[in-house]
Amino acid sequence: MRKEAGFGTLMRVAKSLSDQTKSWDAVYRELQRQIIAGQLRPRERLVEDEIIERAGATRHAVRRAFDELERMGLVVRQPNKGVQVRDYSIPEIEELYEIRECLETRAATHFDRPADPELVAQLTDIATRHRAASREQRFGEVFSLNNSFHEVLYRAAGNQQLAEAIIHYTFATHPIRTRAFPNEELREIAIAEHFDMIDAIAKGQGDRLAGIVRNHIQRPKEFYLKATYIQDTL
């Protein structure tokens, strides 16, 4: 009897922990979706009590969701202001994207020989799933698959320190990049460019890849600047 009771207690604890995990993850994914879709704008505060009431979640779950949003670079914690959707000044944006262009185009030139067919197949699979998620407007998956595509690509360039630096600055620009996600035309261009990148590495055309990458990272920046610093002043 004691063993059965102990097992039952463990099962209830496991279920409770599972429910808590689902709870914070659900809050995180909904807030992520709202930021990506532009429903939560740059500099907008995320009020803990309001989210608790709206989501029907625990305070622990909401704070855990905030932690994950901060880790992904989508929000920042400000003294006396709480949690806010991340925002950037125009000089900060230009500086971040200058760094990204230097790092990513440099990594691209490493692909001066035809890539391993396994890498080509892996990137094709990710790009195909990204395309499907984009056309079905599953923006959370678009976000994660896009990150996966670029991480796999740059890690395959052979310089892991360079890849880590690229990942760092990609995280730093998440709110800029995701602002363009609701725009179907830009998403379709990004999809086409992913497949062009795959074709370039399959043929060992590093210089061509660098040109594609340069255009690929600039469009979301230009969209963000127009949406944030032009539309917001109208």
Side-chain angles (χ1 to χ4, degrees):
M1 292 294 291
R2 287 180 182 176
K3 289 184 178 179
E4 289 179 1
F7 179 74
T9 300
L10 288 173
M11 289 298 291
R12 287 194 296 273
V13 170
K15 183 179 186 302
S16 175
L17 290 172
S18 176
D19 289 345
Q20 289 177 23
T21 300
K22 289 179 183 176
S23 180
W24 81 258
D25 187 62
V27 175
Y28 160 69
R29 291 189 181 281
E30 177 57 20
L31 291 173
Q32 178 202 62
R33 184 195 66 77
Q34 291 177 10
I35 292 170
I36 291 172
Q39 295 172 337
L40 293 171
R41 307 294 293 277
R43 302 183 294 279
E44 186 168 345
R45 287 186 61 211
L46 303 183
V47 181
E48 190 174 289
D49 288 340
E50 291 180 0
I51 295 171
I52 289 170
E53 182 177 355
R54 185 168 68 245
T58 65
R59 192 170 301 277
H60 170 77
V62 172
R63 289 179 178 176
R64 178 81 184 277
F66 284 172
D67 289 342
E68 187 66 10
L69 289 168
E70 185 178 30
R71 188 184 74 81
M72 295 301 292
L74 294 173
V75 303
V76 291
R77 283 185 167 92
Q78 300 279 11
N80 304 317
K81 293 182 180 179
V83 177
Q84 292 182 317
V85 178
R86 190 165 184 175
D87 182 36
Y88 304 84
S89 67
I90 293 176
E92 285 174 330
I93 293 170
E94 296 293 352
E95 289 171 2
L96 284 167
Y97 272 83
E98 182 178 5
I99 293 170
R100 280 195 61 192
E101 182 174 326
C102 289
L103 294 173
E104 295 183 41
T105 54
R106 177 59 182 169
T109 62
H110 286 214
F111 290 94
D112 55 357
R113 298 179 182 178
D116 190 304
E118 290 184 4
L119 173 63
V120 172
Q122 183 181 9
L123 288 170
T124 300
D125 174 66
I126 297 171
T128 301
R129 288 187 285 127
H130 171 269
R131 178 176 60 195
S134 177
R135 291 177 178 174
E136 294 171 15
Q137 299 187 29
R138 292 182 273 114
F139 294 143
E141 290 182 46
V142 173
F143 179 71
S144 60
L145 288 167
N146 187 67
N147 288 343
S148 294
F149 180 89
H150 291 285
E151 181 171 352
V152 169
L153 174 67
Y154 292 125
R155 287 200 182 281
N159 184 328
Q160 295 309 305
Q161 295 301 316
L162 180 57
E164 290 292 342
I166 291 171
I167 291 167
H168 171 78
Y169 283 100
T170 299
F171 266 62
T173 57
H174 275 342
I176 301 170
R177 297 165 53 235
T178 58
R179 187 74 185 271
F181 278 9
N183 186 292
E184 183 179 1
E185 180 181 359
L186 288 183
R187 293 202 314 274
E188 286 296 317
I189 292 172
I191 289 167
E193 287 174 338
H194 282 171
F195 285 100
D196 286 343
M197 290 179 202
I198 295 168
D199 184 66
I201 69 165
K203 295 174 179 175
Q205 297 173 339
D207 289 340
R208 176 186 164 207
L209 176 62
I212 298 167
V213 165
R214 185 176 292 108
N215 291 330
H216 188 73
I217 66 177
Q218 288 299 319
R219 288 192 188 89
K221 181 196 81 170
E222 293 166 1
F223 182 90
Y224 182 91
L225 288 171
K226 290 178 181 178
T228 305
Y229 292 99
I230 296 179
Q231 289 183 13
D232 286 358
T233 60
L234 295 179

